[in-house]
Amino acid sequence: MNRAVGRQVKLLRERAGMTQKELGDRLGYGEDLVSSLERGRRTPQPEFLDAADDLLDAGGGLPKATKEDVARAKARARVRHPAWFRDYARLDAEAVEVSFYNNHDIPGLFQTEGRTRALYEMRKPLLDEELIEQRVASRLDRQKILTRRPLPVLTVVIEEVVLHRPLGGHEVHREQLGRLLELGRLRTVELQVMPTRRTEHSGMGGSFTLLMPRGRPQVAYTEVQTSARLATDLDEVRILAARYGSIRAQALTPRESLTLIERMRTEDEH
């Protein structure tokens, strides 16, 4: 479906004598994003289709039916999470507090659609397109936790090196940095960056997540390669919680972290 829509956008763009960059500039999108849409690597949003239809004088060339196809495809893709992830996803959805330490990537709740899709497309062994769409939709669906009521308290520590890695291309990367800035300014989110040049680091054992379900003891979640584990042992969770406190103390403050991300995003634009 994405490829068919992409071919249609490309045909209309070329008919109008525009390059991908020119179309992106006129619509307020990056050239990389337009290229990804035309190749079927990204799902076009309804607002993009509306704007492109008007700009390219398509006269219905990108009709309402096309947008409905996109919506139906997204709905079909919202399948259940993989079996190994379901216990965590259930707790995640009802948590009153979630804390992430990530040393190699950005937590799924904070990822843009572009970055999520890029991560699944580069997975080895390769995933088929239908499974990629299912996984992307499931991850984006989990992000409802960011807007549900009552809002959970979210804290996250991300390694600085992760913010320098432009997975999915520079346009996707800039969009992701912008998303982090947006979320980091929320009252319910405390986002911190761990500087690469720190001489002491309490998180060398790897990434982990702490969840506080409503009315229940805190639990921990770890994921390494193809192995995932939900820890409920009180002593084990207590140790990870203490470790997370040390990691936060060693990281930049939330304000310093947002300043760093803003500077990186500005530098990436030049």
Side-chain angles (χ1 to χ4, degrees):
M1 185 278 302
N2 284 355
R3 289 183 177 178
V5 176
R7 284 194 295 269
Q8 195 170 8
V9 171
K10 181 179 179 181
L11 178 65
L12 291 168
R13 174 182 61 78
E14 291 179 341
R15 188 184 70 179
M18 288 187 182
T19 65
Q20 291 178 340
K21 184 178 187 308
E22 289 170 339
L23 177 61
D25 289 344
R26 295 283 297 275
L27 295 178
Y29 293 88
E31 181 180 359
D32 290 348
L33 185 142
V34 174
S35 176
S36 294
L37 290 173
E38 290 189 355
R39 286 182 290 165
R41 295 183 59 191
R42 298 193 62 175
T43 301
Q45 299 301 307
E47 55 268 26
F48 175 88
L49 295 176
D50 284 333
D53 192 88
D54 290 341
L55 176 64
L56 299 174
D57 194 23
L62 294 175
K64 179 175 181 289
T66 300
K67 289 181 284 184
E68 291 175 345
D69 287 342
V70 171
R72 284 194 294 268
K74 285 188 173 182
R76 287 195 302 269
R78 288 194 174 92
V79 297
R80 293 197 307 169
H81 298 292
W84 54 267
F85 189 72
R86 288 173 194 160
D87 287 341
Y88 172 83
R90 175 175 51 81
L91 293 173
D92 187 44
E94 65 184 35
V96 296
E97 183 175 342
V98 187
S99 301
F100 304 94
Y101 166 61
N102 279 58
N103 64 357
H104 69 286
D105 196 13
I106 293 167
L109 286 182
F110 292 73
Q111 291 176 10
T112 63
E113 179 180 348
R115 187 179 182 96
T116 296
R117 178 166 282 103
L119 290 171
Y120 282 123
E121 287 179 344
M122 66 181 69
R123 182 74 61 87
K124 298 295 187 295
L126 296 175
L127 304 178
D128 62 54
E129 292 187 11
E130 182 178 358
L131 183 55
I132 289 174
E133 291 302 317
Q134 292 174 353
R135 295 286 174 84
V136 170
S138 294
R139 178 164 294 182
L140 296 180
D141 190 61
R142 281 182 55 229
Q143 294 180 0
K144 289 186 297 188
I145 189 176
L146 298 171
T147 55
R148 69 166 169 78
R149 293 291 188 274
L151 292 171
V153 174
L154 301 173
T155 66
V156 57
V157 180
I158 303 173
E159 289 291 332
E160 179 184 355
V161 66
V162 170
L163 304 178
H164 287 286
R165 189 175 294 133
L167 298 179
H170 288 286
E171 181 64 31
V172 171
H173 185 57
R174 284 192 295 272
E175 182 184 25
Q176 180 63 73
L177 293 178
R179 177 64 168 162
L180 291 178
L181 289 171
E182 175 188 337
L183 294 174
R185 295 185 180 116
L186 297 177
R187 293 171 54 207
T188 54
V189 175
E190 292 190 356
L191 188 156
Q192 294 177 256
V193 176
M194 176 67 79
T196 301
R197 296 181 65 84
R198 280 289 187 260
T199 58
E200 293 187 11
H201 195 323
S202 297
M204 298 304 291
S207 302
F208 60 90
T209 302
L210 297 167
L211 297 96
M212 184 73 74
R214 183 177 302 280
R216 299 170 59 183
Q218 189 176 42
V219 300
Y221 175 78
T222 57
E223 188 176 315
V224 179
Q225 296 295 339
T226 57
S227 299
R229 181 170 177 267
L230 189 65
T232 58
D233 179 79
L234 295 181
D235 286 337
E236 182 178 357
V237 175
R238 176 183 56 79
I239 290 172
L240 286 175
R243 188 173 297 165
Y244 186 69
S246 295
I247 291 171
R248 293 195 69 189
Q250 293 164 344
L252 298 176
T253 67
R255 179 173 295 182
E256 292 169 338
S257 299
L258 291 180
T259 298
L260 174 62
I261 295 172
E262 181 66 62
R263 185 171 70 245
M264 293 171 63
R265 187 169 184 266
T266 299
E267 292 173 350
D268 195 64
E269 291 177 351
H270 298 90

